[in-house]
Amino acid sequence: MPAYPPPLGPPPPPPPPANRLSGKQKATLGCGGLVFVVLAIGLIGSTVSSSPRTVSKSVPGPTVTKTVTVTVTPEAKAPEGATQPKKPRPVGTSAATSAANTDTDTDTARLPNLVGQQLQAAQDAAQAAGFYLLSSYDATGADRMQVLDRNWKVCSQSPAPGAADPSRMVDFGAVKIEETCP
């Protein structure tokens, strides 16, 4: 009887073909593809928005202080020993405050000319001047949103530069920095 060599065990599995992916590689590509699809849908959704305006509202800044000068005129002196009655003043007010409350001036602030500036710098300058209700829109009419204000420049502003009510909305017409204003 011929001698056979002893068995060495089961043969090793053949290596996977070079063009096939392992399970770990498939899972990594699947998750990466899913993340890409979600980001692409979010980006498309943000650029195709039905809202053409971006409105930002900030909290008011510093308080405006009004200085009132009161001129006191001498009154007729009462006889010695007599006391003059004092006029009652509302609780918590001073003479200067009472005089200031009777002033009928409307509060205005000076809005600078912001046309030609970068949109973010224009918003910062408007807030520094006391205007906190700000909005912007695409001046080309394409209804694009101003997602990154530093990439846009101001073509128009309403109200015009000069004295304006700080509680009024300041509206900026803007285009991308590399574009020309309409």
Side-chain angles (χ1 to χ4, degrees):
M1 184 176 246
Y4 293 103
L8 298 173
N19 61 352
R20 300 260 173 136
L21 300 175
S22 70
K24 187 175 181 179
Q25 290 171 329
K26 287 180 185 178
T28 302
L29 286 176
C31 290
L34 181 62
V35 168
F36 175 77
V37 168
V38 168
L39 288 175
I41 289 173
L43 181 63
I44 291 169
S46 68
T47 58
V48 184
S49 174
S50 63
S51 173
R53 295 176 165 262
T54 301
V55 176
S56 61
K57 186 175 183 180
S58 301
V59 293
T63 305
V64 176
T65 304
K66 244 185 201 182
T67 304
V68 177
T69 305
V70 178
T71 305
V72 179
T73 57
E75 296 183 16
K77 292 192 175 191
E80 283 193 41
T83 59
Q84 285 189 341
K86 291 186 178 181
K87 293 182 182 178
R89 185 182 304 152
V91 177
T93 61
S94 66
T97 306
S98 296
N101 289 340
T102 60
D103 192 7
T104 58
D105 290 343
T106 58
D107 289 334
T108 60
R110 186 182 178 291
L111 181 63
N113 184 4
L114 303 169
V115 174
Q117 288 191 16
Q118 180 189 51
L119 181 57
Q120 183 65 56
Q123 291 170 340
D124 294 343
Q127 288 179 351
F131 295 86
Y132 297 97
L133 297 175
L134 308 173
S135 70
S136 61
Y137 64 94
D138 185 358
T140 64
D143 292 338
R144 298 173 295 182
M145 291 179 54
Q146 294 75 50
V147 176
L148 187 58
D149 295 338
R150 284 173 170 55
N151 290 340
W152 293 77
K153 65 181 174 185
V154 176
C155 292
S156 64
Q157 74 181 57
S158 174
D165 181 5
S167 65
R168 186 173 172 194
M169 175 77 70
V170 177
D171 198 17
F172 297 112
V175 296
K176 293 261 187 170
I177 287 197
E178 63 272 4
E179 299 173 347
T180 58
C181 290

